Amino acid sequence: VPRQTPKDTSPLVKLARFGQQATEKGCLRHDGNLLEVTGIEGDYDGGSMTPDEAVALLEQHHVRAVVVTTWSHQPVAPRFRVFAPLSQARPPEERRAFVAYLNGVLGGVLGKESFALSQSYYIGGPPDGEYRVLVPFDDPDEGFCIDEVDPTELAALALYPDGKNGKKRPEQLST
């Protein structure tokens, strides 16, 4: 995606398929209209993990994904999005567990908006900023889609932002 100006002219990405049921305002992108999920999106605005570190963690866990810097990314305050494809379309109710697994792979750093079912994200970058697109692995056939991960590993690594199922983000754990 080329650099865009202004931000709202950039493409929106949501790895899902929506139906034709519009809201009163004519919007098709809402939770009740989401038919199936084709991938997982994760949003990171924490400012300390670099996109390269995220790619290394994805490689370590053998997860296929694309990492792209966001509009507000700065080398000294990193911000990025992770887009991880599924091997096949899944029902919307399965998405939360896959987001929690992606969050666990990345050490619990994803923002809680990553768990919002119909949340979409701009891609692209400002004309004067750093915009990067990174992928784990040299070969696009390496690694696995998140839904191909062993369910035991998925459950063991899953980190939910709200502490459900006993999982908490690392900064929420008492020492």
Side-chain angles (χ1 to χ4, degrees), residues 15-89:
L15 303 177
R17 188 171 65 86
F18 291 90
Q20 296 301 314
Q21 184 182 47
T23 64
E24 289 181 12
K25 295 182 179 181
C27 181
L28 294 173
R29 187 183 46 83
H30 60 90
D31 288 1
N33 195 37
L34 198 145
L35 302 175
E36 59 187 14
V37 178
T38 59
I40 304 303
E41 312 86 11
D43 188 44
Y44 173 72
D45 290 329
S48 58
M49 178 183 282
T50 68
D52 295 294
E53 290 169 325
V55 166
L57 289 169
L58 292 164
E59 286 180 346
Q60 178 183 335
H61 292 280
H62 311 287
V63 175
R64 287 184 187 163
V66 175
V67 176
V68 298
T69 56
T70 68
W71 273 79
S72 56
H73 169 78
Q74 299 286 323
V76 295
R79 287 167 172 64
F80 56 84
R81 305 237 163 79
V82 180
F83 298 101
L86 297 173
S87 67
Q88 61 184 340

Side-chain angles (χ1 to χ4, degrees), residues 100-159:
Y101 176 73
L102 181 61
N103 192 33
V105 164
L106 295 173
V109 301
L110 295 180
K112 67 181 178 179
E113 62 277 6
S114 302
F115 289 84
L117 184 59
S118 59
Q119 177 73 45
S120 62
Y121 297 96
Y122 285 110
I123 58 169
D128 58 346
E130 178 183 80
Y131 179 66
R132 298 176 64 202
V133 178
L134 301 96
V135 294
F137 317 112
D138 295 328
D139 181 345
D141 291 328
E142 279 189 75
F144 300 97
C145 295
I146 286 179
D147 60 333
E148 296 173 324
V149 172
D150 179 297
T152 305
E153 180 184 344
L154 191 143
L157 280 178
L159 288 175

